[in-house]
Amino acid sequence: MASHRRPKQPSRTRVTVLTATAAAAVALTSQAANAAPSAKPSKDEVKAKVDKLYEEAEHATEKYNGAKEKQQKLDKQIDNLQDKVARGQDELNDLRDGLGSLASAQYRSGGIDPSIQLFLSSDPDDYLDKASTLDQLSSQQVDALKKIQEKQRSLAQQRQEASDKLADLAATRKELRENKEKVQAKLAEAQKVLNTLTAAEKAALAAEEERASRDSARSALGGGQAASGRAAAAYSAAQSKLGSPYVYGASGPSSFDCSGLTSWAFAQAGVSIPRTSQAQASAGTRIYSQSDLKVGDLVLFYGDLHHVGFYAGNGQILHAPRTGTVVRYESINNMPFQFGVRI
């Protein structure tokens, strides 16, 4: 008679070990999959990332330009104030010398009034404020003392103004340094990303950009409503710089950033416009429709207005794009257009 024994069930310990082993195998498989090298980004993906980094670098560049322009203005203002203070101190010394001579003459003619001794001190203000003593002085003495008082007050104001501007200058220099570091960091990161491309891929990107620029140039030269007067002269000056390299913070004559090109070009036409793209956005009449733009109008891009160029006609612009490029023509649709400005 056959034996009908119940099959032996695996022990709880054995089940636990098997489960743990399976889980470990799954984990190892997952780790191996994660450790597998990711696919190399395509040329277009690299270009998109680099373009974004260059855009961020240009944003920092315009802030750098603004801080640099402010620093230059503050330097001039401080120099002027310091010159005024120096001249004012000389004038104050002359006034005091004159009052001293007056007092000496009075002493020789019969003794110096005790009140005059107070006026010859470094701060006559307190005594002057006591109107009851003025009748003890001659009109010549009163006039001399009032001039001293006014000069002292003027000097105190100028010294305070110079002190405030020196503090502002220190903060501006710090801002300038920080924005320069941001630009350099973004450019270094962009170069690192570019270095992941092969020589053939870099050449292909350069060829694509060159071809697009040639197409834009042909389209721009095909016409467009021309600007008049100095805007036309400024645009012509910018055209003379086609092929000049982009360098952040540069404003000519051999290299440019975006607002450096536009401000330089208008200067050649005898027109002074602000240095930064944000400030140039308020330098003239705004044109919100692309169809109303004329050749030579400024065109502003991005929500924060950190890029500017010239309208070149037929939907094209002439500008200094970014690091690694030159002054060239490009489609107005390559960037988010905000409005034009007619100087």
Side-chain angles (χ1 to χ4, degrees), residues 225 227 231 283-287 292-294 296-298 340-343:
Q225 189 176 7
T285 304
R286 293 189 177 184
I287 312 296
D292 293 332
L293 292 172
K294 293 182 179 180
D297 286 340
L298 296 180
V341 174
R342 187 159 298 152
I343 302 298

Side-chain angles (χ1 to χ4, degrees), residues 119-279:
F119 284 123
L120 289 176
S121 66
S122 60
D123 185 8
D125 290 1
D126 182 60
Y127 199 88
L128 270 178
D129 289 338
K130 298 175 182 177
S132 61
T133 66
L134 294 181
D135 58 356
Q136 301 175 29
L137 307 173
S138 70
S139 61
Q140 187 178 6
Q141 291 170 331
V142 170
D143 288 343
L145 288 167
K146 284 184 175 180
K147 286 180 181 179
I148 289 176
Q149 185 184 46
E150 290 170 1
K151 182 56 65 176
Q152 284 179 321
R153 287 173 178 168
S154 175
L155 276 175
Q157 290 173 351
Q158 289 171 351
R159 287 193 175 108
Q160 183 59 52
E161 187 178 354
S163 176
D164 292 342
K165 287 190 181 297
L166 283 168
D168 196 4
L169 179 61
T172 300
R173 283 176 173 161
K174 180 182 178 183
E175 181 185 357
L176 187 66
R177 183 175 62 255
E178 289 173 349
N179 282 306
K180 183 177 182 179
E181 290 170 354
K182 287 179 183 177
V183 173
Q184 292 173 331
K186 293 296 181 183
L187 295 181
E189 189 177 353
Q191 187 59 53
K192 185 177 179 181
V193 174
L194 275 175
N195 289 341
T196 64
L197 295 177
T198 64
E201 288 172 327
K202 289 178 183 178
L205 275 180
E208 288 174 9
E209 290 188 355
E210 179 62 26
R211 184 167 54 252
S213 182
R214 285 198 305 269
D215 291 343
S216 290
R218 281 195 295 269
S219 181
L221 296 174
Q225 189 176 7
S228 59
R230 293 183 175 180
Y235 177 69
S236 179
Q239 283 182 304
S240 74
K241 294 301 176 179
L242 280 164
S244 298
Y246 178 103
V247 175
Y248 83 88
S251 55
S254 57
S255 58
F256 305 87
D257 60 23
C258 70
S259 58
L261 175 66
T262 50
S263 58
W264 175 87
F266 268 101
Q268 308 318 299
V271 180
S272 176
I273 64 172
R275 174 62 176 88
T276 66
S277 57
Q278 290 92 341

Side-chain angles (χ1 to χ4, degrees), residues 38-54 189-190 192-197 201 205 208:
S38 57
K40 182 178 179 294
S42 69
K43 173 171 62 69
D44 291 339
E45 289 172 334
V46 168
K47 182 180 184 304
K49 186 172 183 179
V50 168
D51 286 346
K52 179 64 176 173
L53 287 167
Y54 279 141
E189 189 177 353
K192 185 177 179 181
V193 174
L194 275 175
N195 289 341
T196 64
L197 295 177
E201 288 172 327
L205 275 180
E208 288 174 9

